[in-house]
Every structure is written in structure tokens, then in C-alpha cells.
Amino acid sequence: MTRNAGSHGPTTAASIRRVGLKLIYEHGFNAMSLRQLAAEVGLQPASLYNHIRTKQGLLFGLVHDHMLALLEQSAQALAAAPQGDPVGRLRAFIAHHLLYHMEKKREVYIANFELRSLEPANYRIIVALRRTYEERLIALLEEGVAAGVLDVHDVPVTAYAILAMLTGACTWYKPEGRLSKPEIVALHTDLVLKGCLRTAEAPQGRGPDLSKLTGQPPLRRGNRPTPPAAGHEAPA
Amino acid sequence: MTRNAGSHGPTTAASIRRVGLKLIYEHGFNAMSLRQLAAEVGLQPASLYNHIRTKQGLLFGLVHDHMLALLEQSAQALAAAPQGDPVGRLRAFIAHHLLYHMEKKREVYIANFELRSLEPANYRIIVALRRTYEERLIALLEEGVAAGVLDVHDVPVTAYAILAMLTGACTWYKPEGRLSKPEIVALHTDLVLKGCLRTAEAPQGRGPDLSKLTGQPPLRRGNRPTPPAAGHEAPA
Amino acid sequence: MTRNAGSHGPTTAASIRRVGLKLIYEHGFNAMSLRQLAAEVGLQPASLYNHIRTKQGLLFGLVHDHMLALLEQSAQALAAAPQGDPVGRLRAFIAHHLLYHMEKKREVYIANFELRSLEPANYRIIVALRRTYEERLIALLEEGVAAGVLDVHDVPVTAYAILAMLTGACTWYKPEGRLSKPEIVALHTDLVLKGCLRTAEAPQGRGPDLSKLTGQPPLRRGNRPTPPAAGHEAPA
Amino acid sequence: MTRNAGSHGPTTAASIRRVGLKLIYEHGFNAMSLRQLAAEVGLQPASLYNHIRTKQGLLFGLVHDHMLALLEQSAQALAAAPQGDPVGRLRAFIAHHLLYHMEKKREVYIANFELRSLEPANYRIIVALRRTYEERLIALLEEGVAAGVLDVHDVPVTAYAILAMLTGACTWYKPEGRLSKPEIVALHTDLVLKGCLRTAEAPQGRGPDLSKLTGQPPLRRGNRPTPPAAGHEAPA
DNA sequence: AATGAATGAGTATTCATTCAT
DNA sequence: GATGAATGAATACTCATTCAT
């Protein structure tokens, strides 16, 4: 098998994306300058524009590609999990989420922290993709509740809580750190499942019964009026 | 009811802090300009310098005050909780953390997102305060484990996971939202406690035994070699 | 009489306008750079912005002030001319137009040549003022025609032709040139009047009768359907 | 009728000139970019350089060709006019000038407005051609004066005034406008001739006698010391 | 305490042009 | 004849900050 003509080594466009990712991660989108980027890639600033349309376009491209990859990988993870086993599917999602987030630490960081640097139109696109992703976990929790194996007070809020917890791991994770990836996955999986699994004994024994507290039935997808918008507000 | 002599409206310095907080929250520290700030306060840019030393000083002041308030309030919350009841103290901490974060949404957001905009010296001060705060939760978990009422695989990582989860709530919380503060507190308290409480039945039945997986004893404060650095790295 | 504090010598803002006028005249608005302007005024480029809002704002200010001055001076010239004497008023207008245009050569040049560099909103404002000015001459011609002392085939087109001719003088006029201002005024006044005055003998004897040529009655303000738009088209 | 082999559509070079003409006319030479031009022609910017030497070269080519065409057509117009009839020849020139200027509105506009964008060497060439053209009208007026049929106070200034007036027409002329070309020609011819023709009655009756005013004899080509430079000054 | 003016460093982006392919 | 990539120079404009008043 011969190598393609253009595939011997990183192309300039790929370098720009790679270095751009690094610089945005390290300094933030606003604090990073295209001069810096060009210098690190070994170009004059003007030459960047043969490969990107604008600085904003670079950011959007990075975040957008990340979102698509995240959705794609989550789909694959769920496709590989047995259909009839809600808990197994939830485990698969948790493992996927953690592994992707530990692997793509910088993409994830940018996608979360630089949302606000996106122009309104781009912002809407990314938030819609993120919403799609969140809905996957929400659907998983609802499956489990419907099957009677999970017990959560409020599905969407619990989903956001889980996502926040798992995503937090990529904040401090380092490959050379004390815990291995499988350990981290196991630990968080355990934490989440213990928090969500239906137990034989009455759950009230261990925690407050929310329906008592609020006088409302626990919310499910069906009667959820306006799910809380996760994440930061869009710029005005 | 008469008005106090000194309370007739915010002083200029306070206005600057208030508007600064809002603008940093809305646009980010780098994207917000002192011109904007001055305009919203009703001053010329040059006049700001009668009240702040530098833009960086404004940010540091906001974040620093927030950290002190957070530490102070957590101390009060724990002081009010019974000494001998680790689970009660954990509940108190969770409630305090959530309430503070929902109340001071913007301060919290800035303290988390704009850490990287702090100059190294300021960064170190804030991270040290944050570490102090994190250690309070770590201590609580260790108390509970020592008392045999909690069961966590790895105390510091679990602490970070809990903090990430709880802090995430202030991301989407809105006063006019679907859930009230007590509901949110109850829901998250339940989720955390179910995940951490020691159960009568064997926990292995519901989650993987991490000590099996890793071949190491569960870590506690004593044998923790290099605790994972929480949060984002400081700029170079 | 003591001098005002701020009036001893040209203020910075006035210098910017003066030098700006010169540079735009010499190089054209697009070809002139604010760096140049700043250098000639003796400022850093950034300092210009204490006195102008944008480069476009500078251009508009210059052109706008010129148009107002032109309208004001033409009003004064006509006010000083006897009411019942259309030819005398026409003479007054011609003299005013030529003198103003020879005096304010650069303002006039810019107002004519850099119209296209104006942003649409500014362009509309200036064109409206110019239209007002043109209408003054049109009204004068109509007065003369109504009084039976002028004879023109088409009032608006003749007005534009006269304006083009007179304005052309400022193109080549130089104070140190061969002809003095009064000579230039006399020459053009004569040329225009001879072209427009009603003569005792039949005018057909000297020129074509347009109404024969076109089969239409000569146009006057009354039946003028859509007056030709003088000047260059607005940018798209 | 069969199509010629070589005439199947404009060549690339011709497209560039055509689109270049349009863009310079619409936006001005400085404001128009070769990128724009390339895009409208359907090329990459680099490909333009297979057809033009530089942007300046494109401008010069357009203006130069226009000047040659103008000179050529004026020669033809005068060649067709009877030799011994100065007024007839003046009529011919006026008609030619107006028709050419209305037909080649954009070329004319560019040749007048973008003179200043020409490099000094190119500028001199074009101005020399224009001077040649102006001299044709000057010569015509002098012929008429010598023959005793025209009466102008100052030949060159009158010539410039006439040219300015006639050229002004192409500024507002539109094919779909209110007046047809023949009407416009007739109107302006009348205006010019009335202004220049020697009349039986004493002209002093209608206009000021310039020779009285200035105390100098009317200027003719012979005693003209320094003819006024028509048009705008070249950039330094 | 407030301000108008100034500044040096910096921003993203555009431009005409070149050149190897 | 066409192009993708590169470039050096330039552009208008913004920024945090200073300082005399």
C-alpha cells in the first residue's frame, strides 16, 4: 500500500488546528493571538488566511468537530451495548464519556469554556449539538426508570449532575497521574450507579423523599415542562 | 422606617465592582473592556483608576472576596452541624455549597472560569484558598469513612467528583426555574449520599470493587502520594 | 480683550481636520491613511480617536460642514440680491458659486470626488443637501423663464450644465494663476447669461429649436416627471 | 449566418478588462481589490497575473485605450465636418464629445476620477493625451474667433468651461432617462453656441465687457503666458 | 474624585504580488 | 493558463494605563 501524495506528515492546515487547539486551551480564545499562532506554526500571520477564514472560524471548526466526534463515539458506545440492559447501557455511556473526556481533554475544555466566544449563530449550532448529547443520557435514565432498575428523583437534573461530575474528571486528569483510566472509570461508574440504582429497601430510608418535600410527583420526560438549560448563557 | 445615613445608594467603588462582576460574567475577563465598565458606571475610563489599581486588581479582588466568603460560609455551616454526625455534617456541607453557588452564580462562575486570567502570584493565592476549601470536603469524607458510615473508593477523587457535580448546578440554575432551591438541594443530597453511604448489603453487588480492579487498597489521605491538581493549569 | 485659554493657536481637533482635508484632497480618502494623518499632526495614531470617531466620521464631518457652508453662503448671496430681478439674482448665484468654489477648492473637490467613499447613510444625507443646493439654481432659472427674461430648453438639465461648468473652474483655478477671481467670475457670468438670456431675435436663428427636435414642449418644473439624478451613483 | 471561429465569447483577458472597468467605476481604483476582480471573473487572484502586469497596469491600460479612442473619434468627427465652417465644426465636436461621453460613461468617469491613482509616469502620458484633446477644442474656438463668427473673452478658459459642462452630462446621463441623446446634444449645443456666437447687437449689452474689467485685451493663443493646468494635480 | 488627551503595544484582517507546481 | 500557498507591508481600530489639570 503506497502513501498518498499529500499524507506524508502534517499538512499546514492540520498544524494550524493543532497549535490553535493548544493555544486556545492554554491562554483562552480571546487571549490567544493569531500572531502567536502563526509564529508557532512557522508562518506569517497573513498566511493563516489561506487555511482559515477567520479566528472565529478556527474556534468554531475545532468545537464543531469535537461535538460531532463526541456524538459519533457515544453512538458507537451505545450501539455496542446490549439493547435490553439499561444499566449496561448506562455503564457504557459513562465509560465512553470519561474516556473521551480524558483523551480529548483540550477539546472538551475549549468546547465548555469558550462557548461564550462563539458568535451567536455558531453558538446556537454548538448548543443544539450539546443538547442532543445530553438527551442521550436523559433517554438512558428514562429507560432505566421505566424498566424499574433506576430510581432518580428528577431525570434531567440528575443527568446534568452526572454529566457535570464526569466532565469534571477531565479537569484534573493527567495521563501520568496516580489513577489509571480504568480506575477512574470504575470509580465514577460505581458512584453514579450507587446514586441511581433502585434498591430493594425503601430509598426513603437513606435519603429524603423528594415527592414528600415538594408535594409533586417526580418528573419524567413526559411531564417535564421546560428542562433547565445547561451551560452558560449565550452572549447578548 | 427611616433610611440609614450612610446607606443612600452604592458608592462609586461598589458600583465598579458590581458592574465589573456583571461584565466579566457576561463577556469574560479578556473580552470585557474597562471602557465598557466605565461607561456602564457613568465614568470616564481614566476615573476608574481612582478606585481600582488595575484591571487585574479588579478581577483578583472579586475572586478573592468570593473565596473568603465561601470559606467563611462553609465554616459557619459546619459549625452549626452536630460534631459527632459525619453524615449530618456532609449534608450541611452539600446544602451550603449548593445554596452559595446558586446565590452567587456569577462570582462562582468567574472564580472557576477566569482563574487562568489571574497573574501567577494571584493565581497561586486563589488556588491555595480553593485547595483549603476542597480539603474541608475531603476531611468530611474521611471522617465518614473512619466512622464506618461512608464507603468511597478514593476519597479525594470522590470529593472532586462531588464538587464538580454540585458546582455544575449553578451553571443552569435560575431563580425562576422549574425547581426550587430546597428541591435542588434535596435531589443532589440524595444523589451524593446514595453514592457514598455504606450499605448493609455487600456493595460489590452493585458496583465494581475498585480494590479488586487495581490491586491496591483504597486510598485515604494518609497514603495519597500526589493529589490530583483540581482545576485548570495556570498560564505559563 | 483677553484671549481665551483654549484659543491660543489651533486646537488638536482643528489640526486633524485641516490636515485631514489636505491629505484626502491630495491622495484620496482611501489612499490616505490615519497613520499619515497622525504623523502630520504630530500624534500617535491612537490619539486621533480622542477627536474623531472613525475615519469615515472624519470624511463625513468635512463634507457635511462644507455643504452647510455652501448652502449658507448661497442663501446670503441671494438674500443680498434684489428680489424682483431674476437676472441679477442669477448673477449673484454664479458669483457666489465661483467664489466659494475657488476659495474652498479642496472641500469642493472632496465633496464631489469622495461622495462614493461615504457610507450609505452618510451618502444619503450629503446627496440630499446637494439636491437642495441644485434646486436653488433650478428655482432661479424658473423664475427667469417665468419672468420672460431667460430662455432655456430644459431647466434642470441646463442647471446641471451650468453647475458642472462653474464647478469645473475650481479644478484648475490657482490663486497665483493668470486670471484673477473677478475676471473668472465675469467670464463665466457672461458665458452663462449669453447662453440663457432671452434674445429679441428668434433664438432658432442661432440654435436648434429643441421642441421641434423632440416634438415635446420644453420641460419646466411643472411637468418634469423624474429629474435626472446628478452626480455619481451610490455604492451598492 | 455562421459564427466566426475566433469570436466564441470574450477571452479571459477581455473579461478582466471588462470586469475591472466595472469595479473601478463602482468602487474606485483604490477601494477595488484584485481578489474581487478575480472572483467576478472566475479566477484565483494569482491567475490574473497571466493577463495583467500589475493592478496599476490594468488601470493605465483602460485609461490609455480610452484616451486613444476619444482622440480617434474626435478626429473622425472633425474630418467629417466641412473644413470652412467653424461653427459647423464646433457643433460636430460638441456632438461627438457628448455622444462619446454618454456611451462610455464608465471609461470617462475613470479617466477623470482616477487620474490621481496613476503612477507619475503613467499620469504624465495620460495628461499629455488629454491636453492634446483639449487643444482641439481650443483650436476650434480660435478658428471661430479668427473667422469672426465666435466671440469669447478667453479662449482656453472658455474651452475648459465648455468641456466641464459637456463632460458633466455623462455624470447623470442614463439610457433610460427622460431625455434622449439627440435632445441632450441639441440642448447643450444650443447652450454653448449661444454663449460663444458673435451677435449682431453689442454683446456688452448683455454681459460685462471683460476687457473693460481687466484692462487687458482678450487673451488668444498667441499671448497666453501660462495656460491653466486643467484637472487635478498629480500625487507628489 | 473626575477628566480630556495622550500613548505604546497590540488586534484581526486585507492587500498586491510572487512562485513552484 | 491556472492555482494554492506564502509573504511583507499595511490597514483601521482598541486597549489598559498615565498624567496634568
Side-chain angles (χ1 to χ4, degrees), chain A residues 23-33 55 114, chain B residues 30 116:
Chain A
L23 290 178
I24 297 175
Y25 175 70
E26 283 172 0
H27 307 299
F29 179 71
N30 269 302
M32 162 266 224
S33 90
K55 193 188 181 193
E114 300 294 357
Chain B
N30 269 302
R116 134 182 72 186

Side-chain angles (χ1 to χ4, degrees), chain A residues 183-194:
Chain A
E183 286 171 308
I184 293 170
V185 168
L187 190 154
H188 286 86
T189 302
D190 194 39
L191 202 50
V192 169
L193 287 187
K194 279 165 77 180

Side-chain angles (χ1 to χ4, degrees), chain D residues 22-137:
Chain D
K22 192 195 86 179
L23 289 178
I24 297 175
Y25 175 71
E26 284 174 359
H27 306 298
F29 179 71
N30 268 302
M32 162 267 223
S33 88
L34 291 188
R35 285 160 140 78
Q36 247 183 308
L37 174 53
E40 290 214 16
V41 173
L43 289 175
Q44 293 300 319
S47 305
L48 293 176
Y49 288 83
N50 289 317
H51 305 279
I52 65 174
R53 281 234 327 122
T54 61
K55 193 190 182 193
Q56 169 76 203
L58 172 63
L59 174 63
F60 177 69
L62 291 171
V63 176
H64 193 232
D65 286 3
H66 150 69
M67 287 309 301
L68 295 184
L70 181 64
L71 282 166
E72 166 66 12
Q73 182 173 313
S74 72
Q76 286 181 5
L78 290 178
Q83 271 304 114
D85 175 8
V87 172
R89 289 170 64 75
L90 183 52
R91 282 180 189 275
F93 183 88
I94 293 170
H96 134 76
H97 187 93
L98 279 169
L99 292 174
Y100 183 94
H101 277 63
M102 291 187 289
E103 200 100 4
K104 304 284 189 180
K105 193 179 154 86
R106 298 187 300 193
E107 284 85 345
V108 164
Y109 189 84
I110 291 173
N112 285 335
F113 276 54
E114 301 294 357
L115 264 192
R116 135 182 69 186
S117 300
L118 288 172
E119 287 169 0
N122 291 335
Y123 177 84
R124 280 189 292 274
I125 295 171
I126 299 302
V127 166
L129 291 173
R130 194 181 59 175
R131 166 63 46 114
T132 302
Y133 184 74
E134 293 162 354
E135 292 290 343
R136 295 214 172 142
L137 177 55

Side-chain angles (χ1 to χ4, degrees), chain C:
Chain C
M1 206 180 295
T2 59
R3 293 170 81 188
N4 276 347
S7 70
H8 46 73
T11 141
T12 303
S15 296
I16 291 173
R17 287 173 59 93
R18 182 170 32 78
V19 176
L21 184 68
K22 192 196 85 179
L23 290 178
I24 297 175
Y25 175 71
E26 283 172 1
H27 306 298
F29 179 70
N30 269 301
M32 161 267 223
S33 89
L34 291 187
R35 280 159 142 78
Q36 250 181 304
L37 174 53
E40 292 215 15
V41 174
L43 288 175
Q44 294 298 318
S47 305
L48 293 176
Y49 289 86
N50 287 318
H51 305 278
I52 64 173
R53 278 221 341 114
T54 60
K55 193 189 182 194
Q56 168 77 203
L58 172 63
L59 174 63
F60 177 70
L62 291 171
V63 176
H64 192 233
D65 286 2
H66 150 69
M67 287 308 302
L68 295 184
L70 180 63
L71 282 167
E72 168 64 14
Q73 181 173 317
S74 73
Q76 287 181 4
L78 291 179
Q83 271 303 113
D85 174 10
V87 172
R89 289 168 65 75
L90 183 53
R91 283 180 189 276
F93 184 89
I94 293 170
H96 134 74
H97 187 92
L98 279 169
L99 292 174
Y100 184 95
H101 277 63
M102 291 188 290
E103 200 101 4
K104 305 282 189 181
K105 195 178 151 88
R106 298 186 300 191
E107 284 85 345
V108 164
Y109 188 83
I110 290 174
N112 285 335
F113 276 53
E114 300 295 358
L115 262 192
R116 130 182 72 186
S117 299
L118 288 172
E119 286 170 1
N122 291 336
Y123 177 85
R124 279 191 292 273
I125 293 171
I126 299 302
V127 167
L129 291 173
R130 194 181 60 176
R131 167 63 47 116
T132 301
Y133 184 73
E134 293 162 352
E135 291 289 342
R136 295 213 173 143
L137 177 55
I138 289 174
L140 284 183
L141 294 182
E142 286 181 341
E143 281 176 35
V145 168
V149 293
L150 297 186
D151 176 35
V152 301
H153 291 311
D154 183 296
V155 166
V157 168
T158 302
Y160 296 130
I162 292 171
L163 287 173
M165 186 175 81
L166 300 182
T167 300
C170 86
T171 285
W172 52 259
Y173 170 75
K174 281 180 189 166
E176 74 277 17
R178 180 167 53 85
L179 298 183
S180 69
K181 283 184 192 169
E183 287 172 308
I184 293 172
V185 168
L187 189 153
H188 285 87
T189 302
D190 194 39
L191 202 51
V192 168
L193 288 187
K194 278 166 75 179
C196 297
L197 278 180
R198 174 169 208 81
T199 49
E201 68 211 86
Q204 299 91 316
R206 298 209 323 269
D209 183 350
L210 206 65
S211 58
K212 271 186 191 161
L213 227 164
T214 69
Q216 293 175 353
L219 296 176
R220 297 288 179 268
R221 193 197 275 268
N223 60 352
R224 178 155 41 102
T226 52
H232 189 62
E233 232 46 27

Side-chain angles (χ1 to χ4, degrees), chain B residues 29-234:
Chain B
F29 179 71
N30 269 302
M32 162 266 222
S33 87
L34 290 188
R35 284 161 141 76
Q36 247 182 307
L37 174 54
E40 290 215 15
V41 173
L43 289 175
Q44 293 301 317
S47 306
L48 293 177
Y49 288 84
N50 288 318
H51 306 278
I52 64 173
R53 280 232 331 122
T54 62
K55 194 189 182 194
Q56 169 75 205
L58 173 63
L59 174 62
F60 178 69
L62 291 172
V63 176
H64 193 234
D65 286 4
H66 150 70
M67 287 308 302
L68 294 185
L70 181 63
L71 282 167
E72 166 66 13
Q73 181 173 317
S74 73
Q76 287 181 5
L78 290 179
Q83 271 303 113
D85 176 10
V87 172
R89 288 167 66 76
L90 183 53
R91 282 180 189 275
F93 184 88
I94 293 170
H96 134 75
H97 187 92
L98 280 169
L99 292 174
Y100 184 95
H101 278 63
M102 290 187 290
E103 200 101 4
K104 304 284 189 180
K105 193 178 153 85
R106 298 188 299 192
E107 284 85 345
V108 163
Y109 189 83
I110 290 173
N112 285 334
F113 276 54
E114 300 294 359
L115 264 192
R116 134 182 72 186
S117 298
L118 288 171
E119 287 170 359
N122 291 335
Y123 177 85
R124 279 190 292 273
I125 294 171
I126 299 302
V127 167
L129 291 173
R130 194 181 61 175
R131 166 62 47 115
T132 302
Y133 184 73
E134 292 162 353
E135 291 291 345
R136 295 211 174 146
L137 177 56
I138 289 173
L140 284 183
L141 294 183
E142 286 181 341
E143 281 177 35
V145 169
V149 292
L150 297 187
D151 176 34
V152 301
H153 292 310
D154 183 295
V155 166
V157 168
T158 302
Y160 295 130
I162 292 171
L163 287 173
M165 185 175 82
L166 299 183
T167 301
C170 86
T171 285
W172 52 259
Y173 171 75
K174 281 179 188 165
E176 73 277 15
R178 179 167 55 83
L179 298 183
S180 68
K181 283 184 193 170
E183 285 171 308
I184 292 171
V185 168
L187 189 154
H188 285 87
T189 302
D190 194 39
L191 202 51
V192 169
L193 288 188
K194 277 165 77 180
C196 297
L197 278 180
R198 173 169 209 81
T199 48
E201 69 213 85
Q204 302 90 315
R206 298 209 322 271
D209 183 352
L210 207 65
S211 58
K212 272 186 190 160
L213 226 163
T214 70
Q216 292 174 354
L219 295 176
R220 297 289 178 266
R221 193 198 275 268
N223 61 352
R224 178 155 40 103
T226 51
H232 189 59
E233 231 47 23

